Amino acid sequence: MIKILKYSFYDLMRSRWSYVYLAFYMLLGFVLLFLNSDLSKATITLMNIIVVLTPMIGTIFGIMYFYNSREFTELLLSQPVKRSTIFLGQYLGLSLSLSMSLIIGLGIPFLMYGITQSDAVGNFITLLASGTFLTFIFVALSLNIGLGNSNKIKGFGYAILMWLFFAVIYDGLFMISLIVFGDYPLDKFALGASLFNPIDLSRIMILLKLEISALLGYTGALFQKFFGTNLGILISVGVLLLWIFIPVMLMLRKSLRKDF
Amino acid sequence: MIQVTDLNKSFGKLEVLKGVSFSINRPGVFAVLGHNGSGKTTLLKTILGMVIPNNGELQVNGAAIKRSWEYRKDIAYLPQIARFPENLTVNELIKMILDIRNRKGREVELIQRFGLEKFLDKKLSDLSGGTRQKVNIVLAFMFDANICIMDEPTAGLDPVALIELKKLIEEEREKGKTILITTHIMSLVEEVAEEIIFLLDGKIHFQGTLEEMQKQTNEKDLEHAIAAMLVPNGTHNH
């Protein structure tokens, strides 16, 4: 599997897009720090960008990579390699290269502004960790969509819709249901609902770590009340890991039945 | 060596293979023939495990291939359309396959035979169709696999390369390999194939030697024999 991972990774490093993505984050980091030299404030601004952007990039790259690497996949399938190895290798290669672009791209400007000497270093690491989680989650989800749709246009459409659902529509539905069912106790429902959206979950995780209760929002506050800060963080990390594990398992199962 | 029993495969509503059964128990060159869309490629891909059959059994070297992958160590495959990862150079692609197979190959000799030396550092996306096909041939033959599956190996080849390919097939046959080949070029079949597996409407319509086919259809010429096969009940006249 390491070999497949290595070649997928090389292949991606060859493509211009990894560098565009890296350059984008680097630029973003420098601009943010230039406009707002307070590291912890810049971290918060960055959070709002990361929880929306990393899922989007993961989704788009995931689905694009799946369709573009079809030749590579077919070539590998005719070799003596296990199917699950091929897909797991490609998945990890893609997720790792995207995560590296994120970590290096943001790491360089923040390191240059002396993040290691400030108190915001823990928060910054949490931020990168949640971006990495989201990348791994959304790449897995979009690969699932790719495996399920041979039609590129359809696959692309579904993938974008999936991202839109988690990034925007989910929150909307959640808000509406809170208003409609405002007369009932909704604590447990709200708590449960936030577990089913990895974007919400990572936002809560970051905010719990940042200890900014003002920004926590309804579900975040519930999380804190129910579990306390530390257990809250632990639970959100655990559920995020499940969010990686389950789609990856589904992807591997799907790949075993697919015709090439 | 290869045993196929009652193989069925449909893509959606389209039934491609409807109970295909045949076996290949000896080395030699076997031509899989049939008109366009008769399921030749699908059949070859199921043997490779790239297409998953709806039902039926497939054995390679005496073991069922379902959910197995080790058996592919013994199979070389030359796909119909030579499509490769575009960002790689020829050299990198060959190195990669050598690395993945974890075996020594005879790529240097084959590169020379097909005159690919000057393309080694070119990206695959910059190569012409014929040159890609030559790379395809190198990849398929560089390992000493006992079974070789070739789907339209002549596509886009120039006459010189075609002669070289025929020589290569001949050499492999002499080494005792089993070679499965699909092609629409009947002269190639006549030159290299010993046995014909004829697919019609998703079933094996005929399996036997060229002579048997000629006898059965009363046609001397292979092309006419094939045409006679395509027309049911031998009503074909010319």
Side-chain angles (χ1 to χ4, degrees), chain A residues 3 7 14 79 83 259, chain B residues 9 52 92 99 101:
Chain A
K3 278 179 189 168
Y7 288 110
R14 289 276 169 99
Q79 304 298 325
R83 265 195 186 202
D259 296 320
Chain B
K9 178 69 195 172
I52 318 282
E92 284 168 328
D99 184 27
R101 285 234 177 191

Side-chain angles (χ1 to χ4, degrees), chain A residues 101-147:
Chain A
S101 292
L102 170 80
I103 292 168
I104 296 172
L106 286 177
I108 289 173
F110 275 77
L111 276 178
M112 283 172 71
Y113 272 78
I115 184 87
T116 43
Q117 272 108 51
S118 82
D119 346 317
V121 63
N123 296 345
F124 183 66
I125 288 170
T126 314
L127 197 69
L128 292 183
S130 67
T132 307
F133 268 125
L134 287 172
T135 304
F136 274 78
I137 292 168
F138 279 82
V139 169
L141 290 173
S142 65
L143 288 184
N144 268 300
I145 292 175
L147 278 166

Side-chain angles (χ1 to χ4, degrees), chain A residues 79-182:
Chain A
Q79 304 298 325
V81 189
K82 227 167 143 180
R83 265 195 186 202
S84 48
T85 307
I86 297 172
F87 286 94
L88 203 60
Q90 291 192 337
Y91 165 69
L92 290 176
L94 178 58
S95 305
L96 280 174
S97 86
L98 287 180
S99 306
M100 265 181 54
S101 292
L102 170 80
I103 292 168
I104 296 172
L106 286 177
I108 289 173
F110 275 77
L111 276 178
M112 283 172 71
Y113 272 78
I115 184 87
T116 43
Q117 272 108 51
S118 82
D119 346 317
V121 63
N123 296 345
F124 183 66
I125 288 170
T126 314
L127 197 69
L128 292 183
S130 67
T132 307
F133 268 125
L134 287 172
T135 304
F136 274 78
I137 292 168
F138 279 82
V139 169
L141 290 173
S142 65
L143 288 184
N144 268 300
I145 292 175
L147 278 166
N149 294 284
S150 333
N151 185 330
K152 272 188 201 185
I153 306 292
K154 256 194 192 168
F156 234 95
Y158 286 142
I160 299 288
L161 213 65
M162 186 258 308
W163 168 76
L164 206 66
F165 175 77
F166 283 124
V168 183
I169 300 171
Y170 193 94
D171 280 352
L173 290 176
F174 182 63
M175 291 298 244
I176 292 169
S177 58
L178 286 190
I179 294 165
V180 173
F181 302 107

